[in-house]
Amino acid sequence: MARRSAPLLRRLLSAPPSSPLAGAVSRRTVTYMPRPGDGAPRTVTLIPGDGIGPLVTGAVQQVMEAMHAPVVFETYEVHGDMPSVPAEVIDSIHRNKVCLKGGLATPLGGGVSSLNLQLRKELDLYASLVNCFNLPGLPTRHDNVDIAVIRENTEGEYSGLEHEVVPGVVESLKVMTKFCSERIAKYAFEYAYLNNRKKVSAVHKANIMKLADGLFLESCREVATKYPGIEYSEIIVDNCCMQLVSKPEQFDVMVTPNLYGNLVSNVAAGIAGGTGVMPGGNVGQYHAVFEQGASAGNVGNDKIVQQKKANPVALFLSSAMMLRHLQFPSFADRLESAVKRVIAEGKYRTKDLGGTSTTQEVTDAVISKLG
């Protein structure tokens, strides 16, 4: 059963107005004018998930409560070893349109399919966005990294069409369609246009997979002609990985088929500071699911869970993305600004960022910087 955050809703409706000086540093210079009713609390489906998931989603709940964000969480217990995502969870996301989730462990080997894939296909979350960028104050091997990896999320090698032809011989099908290739290309160029990005790079392996990746490139080229103000380029995936680790600042927006996007986004995240600080989300025509951007380490390990030292930064930033998606930009600005201040100061960092802080210590530090 869902756990509705009724006490939070009552606090939201009765909370006193903030001080005129609160959040002055992050205040927009041009006033954001909401539409009537935009301040009404929104219900968001929350899936804590496995491993570190409950720790980091719990941290997000604390921050949302501290800044009186107009968000009410409807919480469901879902775990990666379940045979399928419960129908009531799917119904909740259909109703609320937006979900925040922790990592769901995917068992290796046969028998259990990935619940992450089930969610993407059931909700048609065809676009995955991972934003990989340098955070001020966090040392990395490369500077000036700001890459948006946009990945097709529903087909390709992740179609799940596999069978054993004869004992010892397995056939796995890679399915590519014009429809899905075209709509992810449109999303990438539209994202670039709306965010003042200058270049879109299509990642492929069309020199080998001439029909499948050839169709993907054909779709990207057609869409590119409709955006003459945005530079378009193509790069083979193996060369792309080499270029990422040697000169990542050359990339801006990258659009990829399913498998390549998973690999490229994790490489880019590692370059820009690690998967623990990279936000992301999955979006379709009607629904959006926000989670840690890069998949590596999103469940963590038993030691991190026991010590309660999971890094909540990625999910904090993903939550800021969610708040903007919900049309709450000032709350998103406050949260993002607070996270960046904590990272810049360097006093509170988890082990993956070279520190010793616990999840709660980082959370408390972010709350203290909300303004």
Side-chain angles (χ1 to χ4, degrees):
M1 293 293 292
R3 300 193 298 276
R4 299 297 294 268
S5 305
L8 173 58
L9 179 57
R10 287 195 292 270
R11 282 195 296 275
L12 287 172
L13 297 178
S14 61
S18 302
S19 163
L21 297 179
V25 175
S26 62
R27 183 170 294 160
R28 290 165 180 256
T29 54
V30 178
T31 302
Y32 166 68
M33 186 174 74
R35 297 164 299 184
D38 272 359
R42 290 286 303 274
T43 303
V44 172
T45 303
L46 178 66
I47 301 175
D50 297 313
I52 65 171
L55 270 176
V56 293
T57 56
V60 169
Q61 288 178 285
Q62 291 181 55
V63 171
M64 293 289 184
E65 187 171 343
M67 65 178 179
H68 303 293
V71 172
V72 180
F73 288 111
E74 192 172 271
T75 306
Y76 290 87
E77 292 297 326
V78 181
H79 300 286
D81 57 0
M82 289 180 172
S84 63
V85 180
E88 62 179 2
V89 179
I90 297 296
D91 291 342
S92 173
I93 301 175
H94 277 304
R95 182 173 59 252
N96 299 329
K97 310 299 183 187
V98 177
C99 173
L100 180 71
K101 65 180 283 290
L104 291 174
T106 300
L108 300 178
V112 180
S113 61
S114 168
L115 298 194
N116 296 301
L117 288 182
Q118 287 186 30
L119 275 174
R120 294 168 196 163
K121 291 185 178 182
E122 181 72 28
L123 302 171
D124 196 25
L125 304 171
Y126 69 87
S128 166
L129 169 64
V130 180
N131 194 192
C132 304
F133 56 93
N134 294 120
L135 283 165
L138 185 63
T140 57
R141 192 176 297 273
H142 296 278
D143 297 322
N144 303 315
V145 177
D146 187 5
I147 304 169
V149 182
I150 295 175
R151 161 193 175 193
E152 205 292 318
N153 230 3
T154 61
E155 59 174 17
E157 295 85 352
Y158 285 57
S159 300
L161 301 174
E162 295 183 311
H163 65 279
E164 190 172 38
V165 182
V166 295
V169 179
V170 173
E171 186 175 57
S172 179
L173 302 180
K174 172 177 177 173
V175 177
M176 301 287 281
T177 65
K178 176 75 170 177
F179 173 78
C180 289
S181 296
E182 193 172 78
R183 70 176 179 174
I184 195 64
K186 286 179 179 178
Y187 185 84
F189 276 93
E190 187 175 73
Y191 175 89
Y193 170 69
L194 292 174
N195 290 277
N196 195 31
R197 298 279 192 154
K198 307 302 182 184
K199 180 180 179 181
V200 173
S201 302
V203 182
H204 67 94
K205 192 65 177 173
N207 58 324
I208 302 299
M209 301 180 193
K210 299 183 184 297
L211 292 179
D213 286 19
L215 177 62
F216 175 76
L217 283 185
E218 177 186 312
S219 301
C220 290
R221 290 166 184 168
E222 289 177 3
V223 173
T225 62
K226 301 175 184 177
Y227 293 84
I230 298 174
E231 181 185 349
Y232 171 67
S233 65
E234 299 170 357
I235 186 167
I236 296 173
V237 63
D238 38 353
N239 183 33
C240 173
C241 292
M242 188 275 288
Q243 294 289 336
L244 267 174
V245 299
S246 60
K247 194 179 178 184
E249 61 275 8
Q250 68 182 290
F251 295 106
D252 192 353
V253 175
M254 305 174 78
V255 59
T256 78
N258 207 331
L259 178 61
Y260 310 154
N262 189 25
L263 304 176
V264 166
S265 61
N266 280 276
V267 172
I271 289 166
T275 58
V277 295
M278 297 301 138
N282 307 277
V283 68
Q285 189 66 40
Y286 303 107
H287 309 94
V289 175
F290 295 88
E291 59 187 333
Q292 177 176 310
S295 59
N298 65 352
V299 176
N301 57 54
D302 291 341
K303 185 176 180 180
I304 294 176
V305 175
Q306 291 166 4
Q307 295 178 344
K308 297 185 178 181
K309 291 188 174 182
N311 190 345
V313 169
L315 206 63
F316 284 157
L317 295 175
S318 297
S319 299
M321 291 174 62
M322 180 187 74
L323 288 168
R324 291 194 180 96
H325 181 81
L326 292 171
Q327 298 296 314
F328 300 138
S330 62
F331 288 94
D333 291 346
R334 287 175 62 198
L335 176 53
E336 184 175 333
S337 176
V339 170
K340 288 182 176 178
R341 288 178 184 177
V342 170
I343 293 293
E345 285 185 1
K347 185 178 179 180
Y348 296 99
R349 291 181 181 174
T350 49
K351 185 177 180 180
D352 58 312
L353 302 184
T356 59
S357 301
T358 63
T359 305
Q360 190 60 54
E361 287 171 341
V362 175
T363 302
D364 290 341
V366 169
I367 289 173
S368 71
K369 300 293 183 184
L370 286 171

